[in-house]
Amino acid sequence: MLRLADIGLQAPARLLGEFGLVLAPVPDGEPIPGSYWGECEAGLIGCTVYARADTPVHSLLHEACHLIVMPPERRARVHTDATDSVPEEDAACCLQILLADRLPGVGRDRLMADMDAWGYSFRLGSARAWFENDAEDARAFLASRGLKMVSDPI
């Protein structure tokens, strides 16, 4: 599984910054603030995404994407649990796959493999099958939020 230590902080911090988010590094061994899953999984509080060197890249992107797709008034109040609905969850999953292509050394293929290895559950059995064959609603949700990268080819 690809970890933040494998790709460094600079590119993810820059990417999150494009969406008005802050990446806050957490020292090794310290608990991650706002982590829903605990251990090494990314956390979120307001517009800040917290992660350690051992945080999986897919976790960092997923939590950031929850913040990106939610309305700004909710974003300011969010703490730990960002899920609002199944459509929003699907949109976060779709967006994290799309944004993975913008991180050097990551890309959608690697991210989807890591999502499957972690245990994301999709109706069609894998992140790739879902993304390529059943993510129309998620893409429509992203488009409704003005996120232009949804037109990227599969």
Side-chain angles (χ1 to χ4, degrees):
M1 190 155 312
L2 199 59
R3 308 258 175 203
L4 194 53
D6 299 322
I7 66 167
L9 293 172
Q10 189 174 20
R14 188 173 44 252
L15 179 61
L16 271 59
E18 291 177 26
F19 296 96
L21 305 178
V22 174
L23 173 57
V26 176
D28 293 344
E30 293 293 319
I32 298 175
S35 178
Y36 183 82
W37 296 103
E39 298 181 29
C40 61
E41 300 297 324
L44 49 85
I45 301 172
C47 295
T48 303
V49 180
Y50 296 87
R52 292 190 313 232
D54 63 338
T55 296
V57 173
H58 72 84
S59 177
L60 171 73
L61 283 175
H62 187 78
E63 297 306 326
C65 288
H66 268 295
L67 294 175
I68 293 166
V69 303
M70 72 175 52
E73 62 276 4
R74 242 185 72 230
R75 184 189 291 182
R77 295 187 318 266
V78 74
H79 191 302
T80 308
D81 187 359
T83 300
D84 179 58
S85 64
V86 170
E88 189 174 285
E89 181 71 29
D90 288 349
C93 287
C94 185
L95 185 57
Q96 79 184 87
I97 293 167
L98 293 168
L99 291 181
D101 286 341
R102 299 198 34 213
L103 291 176
V106 182
R108 66 181 65 184
D109 292 335
R110 176 60 191 263
L111 192 84
M112 288 187 284
D114 284 357
M115 290 169 74
D116 289 343
W118 187 86
Y120 283 71
S121 174
F122 292 99
R123 291 176 289 275
L124 299 182
S126 74
R128 177 177 300 286
W130 171 78
F131 182 74
E132 293 178 353
N133 301 295
D134 193 31
E136 299 84 14
D137 291 346
R139 283 183 168 80
F141 187 101
L142 293 173
S144 76
R145 294 289 199 264
L147 297 164
K148 302 297 182 204
M149 72 279 300
V150 297
S151 62
D152 286 352
I154 291 176

